[in-house]
Amino acid sequence: MKVWTVVNQKGGVGKTTTSISIAGSLCALGYKVLLVDLDPHASLTHYLGVDADNLTVSLYEVFMQNPSKDFDINNALHTTKVDNLILLPSHIALATLDKSFGNSPGKGLVIKNALSALANDFDFVIIDCPPVLGVLMVNGLVAADKILIPTQTEHLALRGLARMLKTIEQLSSSLKADASVMIIATLFDRRVNACLLAYSNMRSVYKGLIWRGYIPVDTKFRDASYEGVPVNILASQCRGAFAYDKLTNELLKNVV
Ligand code: ADP
Ligand code: MG
């Protein structure tokens, strides 16, 4: 089982879209995938048709479990409209974790430890992080074999990217030794000069870290979220699905 964590301290850059789209591409290739929604806003959970406000077992219970008691993480899992795509849903109560966890030891290891119980059940875990640096994001990063940073192709997003890379650097001693980082240019519109400039700037500044392709703007993403399925299930031939398939194939190249 490999864990790919999708993260950026900026909102609206395509984290949730990237998480579900890569998961959809992996499922189409026959892999069994677990999507973990670490964002208390629960966009991914709602996207997949699960009502995060009325869950009795969610990621919140995974965090609050008493390790001495029997807690079965399988009770928190939900099937989706897609075969082999399973969701570990979020809950608004996750927003309170930073307060309740304080500086308790091992607070960054909850997800990594919880996932180890599922190691034989899934080929890939995709973790969708909140845009806030806190205990949730740290848990996502600590569990990661790959760290994927979707970055909107616009000037202001580049500052957020620099901040995110600094955070990863600061946490490096807690991360898996072989965890790799990949920047993914998103929301690219080649008709817009500002997008072209930001993209070429990203490519030159982050040469070794950035994926050589880009994710184009495509209205099919909105249609897919309305239908509650990954974009490749709704329209396998659209530009957006094609780009995420290409990215997924690239990510699979160096999976041992
Ligand atoms: P984040 O999780 O980083 O906040 P989202 O993935 O939720 O970002 O994307 C924010 C909004 O932009 C959503 O409405 C989503 O449907 C839309 N969006 C994301 N990527 C694209 C894209 N490549 N083309 C068009 N719309 C997109
Ligand atoms: Mg999101």
Side-chain angles (χ1 to χ4, degrees):
M1 182 176 83
K2 292 288 176 195
V3 180
W4 297 351
T5 296
V6 181
V7 69
N8 192 323
Q9 276 157 269
K10 200 165 184 302
V13 297
K15 290 183 294 298
T16 299
T17 304
T18 297
S19 302
I20 185 130
S21 302
I22 290 177
S25 296
L26 287 168
C27 286
L29 292 170
Y31 293 110
K32 187 152 190 200
V33 182
L34 175 66
L35 269 170
V36 178
D37 187 0
L38 266 187
D39 190 344
H41 285 120
S43 303
L44 180 61
T45 300
H46 287 296
Y47 185 126
L48 288 167
V50 174
D51 180 5
D53 300 332
N54 289 308
L55 288 172
T56 48
V57 188
S58 68
L59 255 180
Y60 184 67
E61 280 66 36
V62 174
F63 275 93
M64 299 314 281
Q65 64 172 299
N66 180 340
S68 63
K69 282 196 190 147
D70 280 340
F71 174 84
D72 187 355
I73 191 171
N74 284 288
N75 294 334
L77 304 185
H78 285 250
T79 54
T80 69
K81 288 180 183 172
V82 182
D83 283 347
N84 287 331
L85 182 61
I86 304 294
L87 171 71
L88 181 46
S90 174
H91 193 278
I92 184 72
L94 284 171
T96 63
L97 276 189
D98 275 305
K99 252 191 202 152
S100 51
F101 264 45
N103 281 327
S104 52
K107 64 176 183 174
L109 292 167
V110 177
I111 292 295
K112 191 179 176 185
N113 292 341
L115 291 178
S116 65
L118 300 171
N120 295 324
D121 301 337
F122 294 96
D123 300 303
F124 291 94
V125 179
I126 311 291
I127 302 181
D128 184 21
C129 287
V132 180
L133 175 57
V135 75
L136 291 163
M137 186 189 283
V138 169
N139 265 274
L141 290 170
V142 165
D145 295 298
K146 280 183 193 294
I147 298 167
L148 310 179
I149 313 177
T151 304
Q152 190 172 351
T153 41
E154 57 131 41
H155 180 61
L156 288 176
L158 296 180
R159 290 187 60 187
L161 172 58
R163 195 152 47 108
M164 190 63 235
L165 289 169
K166 202 167 166 204
T167 298
I168 291 169
E169 176 68 36
Q170 284 163 348
L171 288 171
S172 59
S173 63
S174 309
L175 307 184
K176 289 188 185 174
D178 55 354
S180 61
V181 172
M182 186 188 270
I183 297 162
I184 300 155
T186 58
L187 289 149
F188 180 74
D189 186 342
R190 63 177 174 189
R191 297 163 304 180
V192 177
N193 201 34
C195 275
L196 291 167
L197 280 174
Y199 181 57
S200 90
N201 199 354
M202 281 164 75
R203 290 282 301 261
S204 63
V205 176
Y206 299 105
K207 223 175 263 159
L209 293 180
I210 191 164
W211 175 48
R212 292 165 63 88
Y214 58 81
I215 306 298
V217 167
D218 188 337
T219 55
K220 286 283 190 288
F221 287 110
R222 209 179 308 157
D223 300 343
S225 71
Y226 184 75
E227 296 292 335
V229 294
V231 70
N232 65 328
I233 300 287
L234 182 88
S236 64
Q237 300 304 315
C238 73
R239 294 181 304 152
F242 185 75
Y244 275 111
D245 282 345
K246 209 169 136 193
L247 168 63
T248 302
N249 282 320
E250 181 71 29
L251 292 166
L252 285 170
K253 267 187 198 162
N254 25 35
V255 169
V256 279

